[in-house]
Structures are given as structure tokens and as C-alpha cells.
């Protein structure tokens, strides 16, 4: 049921304040007198010790689910102190990459039925790793066959392009990081700040959804484009990949997510006055300041080569991000750095949606794609 919306994708984008609330419901502990703020993940509690002892955490998924793991990796590494690697399920299988008994393998999947991810799960089980499932479908094959897991609880997602499941997957992985790091005193203040950030996240998502009309206007401007590059770095490299994936799969427009640090190693050659480029340059708090200034210099260089820039920055910071440069700016609310990808993807979801509708394409059922990819 689409309710008052025209399409499922539109409904699912706008549902995100609520889907995120359901994802977090009952799992965040507010703390209080003599009691620290913490997270409670029922499905994991008997396995947390094993996870903390593991030599490596390997996150495995496909498409959007892989991107969610990429967005959460910095926090998982930071709070767990354990090396975190990422694997695209098909590539892990193609390489028969090493998975060990001492590994924790985290399988991320909206449907819980994706064939590549399921085969990678079997492979990790055969190799003796502890297998954790993060899925949106209770009773799915991945949920049933992992040792333990966390349900995403984002509600049923019907549009082929994953939107609300993506933001909920990031939040689930942030909660996983908080739970694994829960025994470390030195990061307690950081964890509490993130928990506060999670409580407030649905309100911030509501705020960023107000950009709907602005993104529709931008879509009108970009209607005739053949290509859109999306630059991001740090926590928001994932946002660049995921934003480009949305534009590609529904608007059927070539789009590429690029790690901004790689710009000079090739992509810069593409830039001229005919190329539209979306740069994510939101302000990451404290020690990430360095990344912010690096992103400023990326903007300067793209501008010097006359790229048609659209810059996403934190509210009130446009003159800081692009001093003396006149570009189209999208301002988004600032949240805790590790949660910023949840906010930043939303304007890109809206952009992909509007581009598709304006072009008269099928937004809920793009050609050649299926919601659940059950063949290899
Ligand atoms: C993109 C999209 C796909 C899926 C991928 C994995 O919008 O939906 O890239 O993310 O096919 O699917 P799940 O998460 O069901 O394993």
C-alpha cells in the first residue's frame, strides 16, 4: 500500500524517520543515575565475547548492503579495535579468499536471500568462522543459517532500489560497533555521544527530507546529463558509491562514486565544463577536520577545471567549504560524524527518484533488475 505516495521508492524514502525508529526501538538504553548509556542487542549477547576475541571482522554483502558495511567500517574498527575488512560476496567466492576460525563474518542483506551472500555464508561456515547475520527479513535463509544476528526491522521494502533498508543497516552496524566496544572504558564518552546522536537521528532525517523540492529542482537541472560523478571520502565514501548506485539503477544514467583521495590518480582527467559533479563535503567533527580541509582542496581543483559542481555541506558552512567559488550548494544537518552517511544519502536518494520520474522511467521496477537476486 503506497498510501498518499505515487511510488514505493518515494514512500520508502520518506518513511525513514519512522523506519530508523523501529530499527532502534528497545535497543538503546538511555542510562541515568549510575547507569551508562548502552545498546542491547538480544540476538548477540551470548556471542559478544567471541566477537571481541576474534582476530578480524569480515563484513560481506552485495550492492547497497555492501555499501552500508563500508559506511560503518570506520566506526566498527574504531570501537572494536579489531581489523575490519570488507568483501563483496561474489568476489570472495571467486577468489576463495581466506576466512579463518578466528574470524567473525558479518553478512549484510536486506532480503536475506541473495544467492552470492548465501553461498559466501556457507563458505564461511565451512571455514569455521563465527557468522553473524544482519537482515531485514525474519526467517530468511541468511537469518536462519547464521550463528546469531540482528534484525534490521526497517519494515518491508518493495521498491527494487534499496533506500530505508540502507539507512537502517548503517544504524544496525553502528549499534553492533557500540555493543562490541562496550567493555572499553576509554571510548565511553564517544559511545555515549553516538548513542545521543542515534536518539536524535530520526528528527535530523525529518529535517533533511525537507530538501525534497530542492532535489526535484536539481533533478530538472540535471535531466539531460549523460553522467554524474559523486565524490566522497572517509565516512562518506560509501555515500558516494551508494548515491551513484541509486542514480545508475533507477534513473538509468551513468554515475560513478569516487573516493576523493583518488581524484588525482585518474578521474581528474574527465573533468571539464560539460561534466556534472556532486561533492560531499559535510563537516566531520573533531579529528576528522583534516579530511574536511582535504575536501575543500578537491572542490577548488574541480572548480579550477570548470566542472559543474554541486556541493553538499553542513548547514551554515557553504562559505567555508567553497570560499570564493560560486556553486550549487545543498546544506544538510550535521550529526555525529559516524552517523552522517545516514543523513547524506537522503538527498541523493531523492535526486535519483526525481530524475527517474522526470524521465518517465519505472522507478519501482527498473529494467533488468529484481528485488532479490536469488541466482548467481
Ligand atoms: C540496490 C539494491 C541491490 C541490493 C543487492 C543485495 O538498490 O537493492 O544492490 O542491495 O542486490 O541485496 P540484499 O541486500 O537483499 O542482499
Amino acid at each position: 500500500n503506497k498510501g498518499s505516495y505515487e511510488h514505493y521508492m518515494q514512500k520508502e524514502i520518506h518513511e525513514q524517520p519512522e523506519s530508523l525508529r523501529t530499527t532502534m526501538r528497545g535497543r538503546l538504553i538511555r542510562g541515568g543515575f549510575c547507569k551508562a548509556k548502552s545498546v542491547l542487542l538480544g540476538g548477540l549477547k551470548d556471542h559478544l565475547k567471541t566477537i571481541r576475541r576474534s582476530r578480524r571482522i569480515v563484513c560481506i554483502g552485495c550492492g547497497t548492503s555492501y555499501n552500508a558495511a563500508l559506511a560503518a567500517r570506520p566506526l566498527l574498527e574504531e570501537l572494536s579495535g579489531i581489523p575490519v575488512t570488507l568483501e563483496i560476496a561474489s568476489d570472495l567466492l571467486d577468489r576463495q579468499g581466506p576466512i579463518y576460525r578466528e574470524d567473525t563474518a558479518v553478512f549484510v542483506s536486506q532480503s536475506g536471500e541473495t544467492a552470492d551472500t548465501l553461498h559466501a555464508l556457507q563458505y564461511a561456515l565451512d571455514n569455521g568462522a563465527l557468522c553473524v547475520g544482519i537482515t531485514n527479513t525474519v526467517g530468511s535463509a541468511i537469518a536462519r543459517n547464521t550463528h546469531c544476528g540482528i534484525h534490521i526491522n526497517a519494515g518491508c521494502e518493495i521498491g527494487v532500489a534499496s533506500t530505508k533498508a540502507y539507512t537502517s543497516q548503517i544504524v544496525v552496524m553502528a549499534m553492533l560497533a557500540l555493543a562490541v566496544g562496550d567493555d572499553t572504558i576509554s571510548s565511553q564518552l564517544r559511545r555515549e555521544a553516538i548513542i545521543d546522536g542515534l536518539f536524535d537521528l530520526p528528527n535530523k532525517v525529518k529535517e533533511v527530507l525537507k530538501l525534497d523540492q530542492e532535489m526535484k529542482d536539481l533533478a530538472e537541472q540535471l535531466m539531460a546529463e549523460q553522467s554524474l560523478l559523486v565524490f566522497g571520502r572517509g565516512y562518506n565514501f560509501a555515500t558516494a558509491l551508494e548515491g551513484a548506485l541509486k542514480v545508475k539503477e533507477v534513473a538509468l544514467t551513468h554515475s560513478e562514486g569516487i573516493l576523493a583521495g583518488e581524484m588525482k590518480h585518474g578521474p581528474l582527467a574527465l573533468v571539464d565544463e560539460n561534466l556534472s559533479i556532486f561533492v560531499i563535503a559535510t563537516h566531520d567533527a573533531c579529528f576528522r577536520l583534516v579530511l574536511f580541509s582535504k575536501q575543500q582542496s578537491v572542490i577548488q581543483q574541480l572548480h579550477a577545471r570548470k566542472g559543474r559542481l554541486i556541493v553538499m555541506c553542513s548547514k551554515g558552512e557553504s562559505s567555508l567549504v567553497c570560499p570564493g567559488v560560486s556553486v550549487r550548494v545543498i546544506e544538510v544537518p550535521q550529526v555525529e560524524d559516524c552517523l552522517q552517511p545516514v543523513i547524506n544519502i537522503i538527498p541523493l536518494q531523492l535526486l535519483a527518484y526525481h530524475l527517474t520520474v522526470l524521465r518517465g522511467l519505472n522507478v519501482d521496477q527498473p529494467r533488468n533488475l529484481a528485488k532479490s537476486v536469488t541466482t548467481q
Side-chain angles (χ1 to χ4, degrees):
N1 185 339
K2 293 198 280 267
S4 58
Y5 294 99
E6 270 175 69
H7 304 101
Y8 284 111
M9 183 179 178
Q10 184 190 28
K11 172 173 178 268
E12 287 158 6
I13 293 172
H14 287 274
E15 238 168 39
Q16 288 176 102
E18 197 40 49
S19 53
L20 288 166
R21 260 191 210 105
T22 353
T23 296
M24 294 187 277
R25 186 160 297 142
R27 291 166 161 178
L28 299 180
I29 312 296
R30 267 186 201 281
F33 185 64
C34 284
K35 198 164 169 238
K37 291 179 182 134
S38 59
V39 300
L40 191 72
L41 299 171
L44 274 198
K45 67 178 186 329
D46 296 335
H47 295 85
L48 277 175
K49 272 198 186 131
T50 318
I51 299 175
R52 286 182 190 132
R53 274 201 306 263
S54 52
R55 215 164 56 162
R56 178 177 70 146
I57 299 173
V58 192
C59 302
I60 301 163
C62 304
T64 291
S65 295
Y66 173 88
N67 292 342
L70 180 64
R73 167 163 67 175
L75 184 69
L76 192 53
E77 262 173 359
E78 178 193 338
L79 295 185
S80 71
I82 302 169
V84 179
T85 61
L86 300 175
E87 293 283 357
I88 291 177
S90 64
D91 187 49
L92 175 70
L93 292 166
D94 289 348
R95 293 179 0 256
Q96 296 283 294
I99 298 280
Y100 302 108
R101 291 179 58 80
E102 301 81 4
D103 287 335
T104 293
V106 180
F107 294 85
V108 188
S109 172
Q110 190 284 130
S111 62
E113 302 289 348
T114 300
D116 285 325
T117 314
L118 203 49
H119 280 89
L121 168 59
Q122 192 53 55
Y123 175 73
L125 288 169
D126 293 345
N127 284 282
L130 173 74
C131 294
V132 181
I134 296 184
T135 83
N136 198 32
T137 316
V138 178
S140 62
I142 291 173
R144 279 185 278 114
N145 292 303
T146 36
H147 297 113
C148 57
I150 316 168
H151 285 301
I152 295 165
N153 293 343
C156 183
E157 192 179 63
I158 292 170
V160 163
S162 186
T163 51
K164 62 175 182 170
Y166 176 70
T167 46
S168 283
Q169 280 167 339
I170 299 175
V171 162
V172 163
M173 297 203 61
M175 292 193 293
L176 170 68
L178 289 162
V180 174
D182 197 35
D183 62 338
T184 313
I185 308 250
S186 59
S187 61
Q188 188 170 333
L189 286 179
R190 167 81 163 144
R191 290 199 309 275
E192 295 200 350
I194 296 168
I195 293 172
D196 287 340
L198 285 170
F199 274 120
D200 198 33
L201 197 57
N203 292 331
K204 290 290 183 354
V205 168
K206 224 182 231 168
E207 207 178 313
V208 76
L209 281 166
K210 292 187 187 142
L211 290 172
D212 193 25
Q213 185 58 45
E214 206 172 320
M215 298 318 291
K216 191 173 174 194
D217 297 344
L218 179 62
E220 272 162 16
Q221 185 193 315
L222 296 177
M223 261 276 276
E225 295 300 312
Q226 307 261 338
S227 180
L228 177 71
L229 299 190
V230 189
F231 279 79
R233 72 192 314 145
Y235 292 110
N236 287 291
F237 173 38
T239 312
L241 293 189
E242 175 60 9
L245 179 57
K246 291 301 90 141
V247 171
K248 207 178 312 195
E249 71 174 328
V250 292
L252 314 188
T253 302
H254 170 258
S255 187
E256 218 181 306
I258 295 177
L259 185 67
E262 282 288 284
M263 179 185 72
K264 290 184 197 155
H265 304 287
L268 195 54
L270 284 173
V271 181
D272 61 18
E273 65 280 10
N274 300 314
L275 187 66
S276 287
I277 308 166
F278 199 107
V279 185
I280 301 157
T282 43
H283 200 146
D284 289 346
C286 54
F287 64 98
R288 301 279 167 180
L289 256 175
V290 185
L291 287 192
F292 181 60
S293 61
K294 282 187 182 170
Q295 204 63 337
Q296 285 172 308
S297 101
V298 163
I299 292 169
Q300 298 290 351
Q301 295 184 46
L302 293 171
H303 188 258
R305 278 145 192 97
K306 302 195 173 57
R308 286 194 243 145
L309 297 188
I310 304 136
V311 175
M312 179 191 286
C313 67
S314 307
K315 226 165 232 169
E317 286 195 346
S318 59
S319 55
L320 196 67
V321 182
C322 335
V325 175
S326 92
V327 295
R328 183 158 191 150
V329 171
I330 312 288
E331 292 198 358
V332 297
Q334 189 180 338
V335 294
E336 202 61 25
D337 51 11
C338 56
L339 303 176
Q340 197 67 49
V342 172
I343 298 295
N344 292 3
I345 192 58
I346 291 173
L348 285 158
Q349 293 173 343
L350 290 166
L351 176 65
Y353 169 77
H354 287 301
L355 262 179
T356 312
V357 174
L358 284 168
R359 290 179 175 178
L361 298 165
N362 187 339
V363 71
D364 284 333
Q365 189 71 72
R367 67 180 187 194
N368 309 339
L369 298 181
K371 181 69 187 157
S372 177
V373 185
T374 51
T375 51
Q376 272 188 299

